[in-house]
Structures are given as structure tokens and as C-alpha cells.
Amino acid sequence: MQALRYTFRSGVTRPLEWRTIQLQQLDRMLTECETEFEEALAVDLGKSPVEAQLTEIGFLRTEIAYALKHLATWMKPERVPAPAVVQPARAWVRPEPL
């Protein structure tokens, strides 16, 4: 856990490129290890391969594709009004991972 927190605090997880690669690698793992995931879901939850695909693996792959499509937009800073007392300043809300 300590190593993960250190990595996060280092800022390496912030860039779009890093996040995109992580999502692509997760999708790749789901594809390459599909059989193992199906077997684990059968043992743990009694799911058939079809059910595993529909409710777990395929669902997650769809969510990953959606995130990859929208990630750049989600990360864009959003301009917000600055208080009159600090005019002519400009302000933005910059989404950051937690």
C-alpha cells in the first residue's frame, strides 16, 4: 500500500497517456486471461462462461472502452467564474485523481 501511495503522490498517474495505457492494459488482460476469469467466476460465484461474459468481463470491457473514449474530455479543466474581488483573474477547476 505504501508503494502505491508513493507512486500516486509522485504524479505519475496524472497524465492522460499514463491513464490511457493503464486502461488499455486492463482490457488486454481481460482478453488474454478470459478463460482464467471465467473459471474463477465459475468457482467463486457459480457463473457459466456466458454469464461471466455478460455480467462481468464483457461489461467491464465496455466500460473501459467508454472511459478511453471520454477520458480526455473528463480531464479538461473547466473554466469557472472568478470572484469580483480578484478580477481580472481567471479560474478553472482541474479534475485530479484521488
Side-chain angles (χ1 to χ4, degrees), residues 64-83:
I64 291 169
Y66 183 84
L68 285 168
K69 182 177 180 180
H70 296 281
L71 188 58
T73 304
W74 294 339
M75 291 178 63
K76 283 185 180 176
E78 179 184 343
R79 191 156 182 201
V80 294

Side-chain angles (χ1 to χ4, degrees), residues 7-71:
T7 300
F8 175 77
R9 287 185 193 123
S10 75
V12 73
T13 65
R14 288 191 176 125
L16 174 63
E17 182 181 356
W18 188 90
R19 296 184 200 185
T20 299
I21 290 168
Q22 294 300 304
L23 288 168
Q24 290 169 340
Q25 289 176 344
L26 179 58
D27 188 58
R28 189 172 127 217
M29 178 188 65
L30 289 168
T31 302
E32 291 176 0
C33 301
E34 189 173 88
T35 304
E36 290 91 332
F37 283 116
E38 288 174 354
E39 290 170 359
L41 288 164
V43 170
D44 292 348
L45 303 174
K47 292 191 177 197
S48 70
V50 172
E51 187 181 9
Q53 283 295 328
L54 291 174
T55 63
E56 306 289 342
I57 301 166
F59 178 77
L60 183 53
R61 292 195 67 219
T62 301
E63 291 295 311
I64 291 169
Y66 183 84
L68 285 168
K69 182 177 180 180
H70 296 281
L71 188 58

